[in-house]
């Protein structure tokens, strides 16, 4: 019972309700709709990553201006939802994740009311895997 409650309390459940994925690579934006093949493939890879992850307390705080500047020079994926979600008393309309090689975890930055502002979530992963990074980079080359 305690393990079931622990898994329920994880942020993983919200990604099933993602309606659009936005990819950012050095300022270029690619938007993927829910019915696209690439959307499904990214979600499959992300869900496999989530199965091998656990939520940790995050020390990160997002500042809107710094986050918007960072997405101009890096590789990010944003999961956009139909409605405002709330986890650990922190609301969000989308979740932005920076993707780098050999990543040991993911800082999940909340976007609420068009602001990347405030406390973040953090997912630690058991096994370093570059599948998401490689796939997103490959999409961008097309």
């Amino acid at each position: 019972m305690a393990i079931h409650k622990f898994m329920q309390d994880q942020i993983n459940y919200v990604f099933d309700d993602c309606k659009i994925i936005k990819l950012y690579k050095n300022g270029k934006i690619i938007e993927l709709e829910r019915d696209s093949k690439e959307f499904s493939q990214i979600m499959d890879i992300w869900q496999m990553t989530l199965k091998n992850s656990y939520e940790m307390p995050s020390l990160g705080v997002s500042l809107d201006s710094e986050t918007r500047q960072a997405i101009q020079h890096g590789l990010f994926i944003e999961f956009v939802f139909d409605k405002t979600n709330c986890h650990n008393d922190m609301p969000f309309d989308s979740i932005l994740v920076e993707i780098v090689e050999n990543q040991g975890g993911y800082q999940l930055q909340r976007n609420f009311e068009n602001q990347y502002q405030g406390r973040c979530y953090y997912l630690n992963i058991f096994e370093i895997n570059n599948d998401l990074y490689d796939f997103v980079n490959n999409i961008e080359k097309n």
Side-chain angles (χ1 to χ4, degrees), residues 38-52 77 79 106 129-136 139:
E38 292 87 356
F39 179 101
S40 295
Q41 290 171 308
I42 287 173
M43 289 305 291
D44 287 346
I45 296 168
W46 183 246
Q47 292 296 341
M48 289 303 294
T49 300
L50 293 178
K51 284 183 181 182
N52 294 315
I77 185 169
F79 299 92
Y106 296 97
N129 181 326
N130 286 319
D131 290 349
L132 185 60
Y133 176 83
D134 293 340
F135 187 81
V136 169
I139 287 176

Side-chain angles (χ1 to χ4, degrees), residues 16-32:
D16 291 338
D17 295 329
C18 178
K19 71 170 185 168
I20 294 172
I21 292 175
K22 292 182 182 178
L23 305 176
Y24 301 88
K25 184 174 184 181
N26 298 322
K28 179 183 173 189
I29 302 172
I30 296 173
E31 207 167 286
L32 304 171

Side-chain angles (χ1 to χ4, degrees), residues 7-17 46-47 49-55 87 108 123:
M7 293 310 290
Q8 262 186 333
D9 290 342
Q10 301 294 295
I11 194 165
N12 304 8
Y13 71 93
V14 301
F15 295 99
D16 291 338
D17 295 329
W46 183 246
Q47 292 296 341
T49 300
L50 293 178
K51 284 183 181 182
N52 294 315
S53 72
Y54 55 96
E55 190 173 343
H87 177 68
L108 309 179
L123 290 178

Side-chain angles (χ1 to χ4, degrees), residues 75 118 128:
L75 180 60
I128 293 175

Side-chain angles (χ1 to χ4, degrees), residues 41-95:
Q41 290 171 308
I42 287 173
M43 289 305 291
D44 287 346
I45 296 168
W46 183 246
Q47 292 296 341
M48 289 303 294
T49 300
L50 293 178
K51 284 183 181 182
N52 294 315
S53 72
Y54 55 96
E55 190 173 343
M56 296 284 296
S58 175
L59 301 176
V61 175
S62 184
L63 301 174
D64 189 64
S65 61
E66 289 182 15
T67 301
R68 290 186 188 281
Q69 189 174 25
I71 62 177
Q72 297 300 312
H73 305 286
L75 180 60
F76 290 81
I77 185 169
E78 185 168 20
F79 299 92
V80 181
F81 305 99
D82 278 334
K83 61 182 173 83
T84 299
N85 289 285
C86 191
H87 177 68
N88 289 342
D89 297 322
M90 297 185 294
F92 57 91
D93 301 314
S94 68
I95 296 284

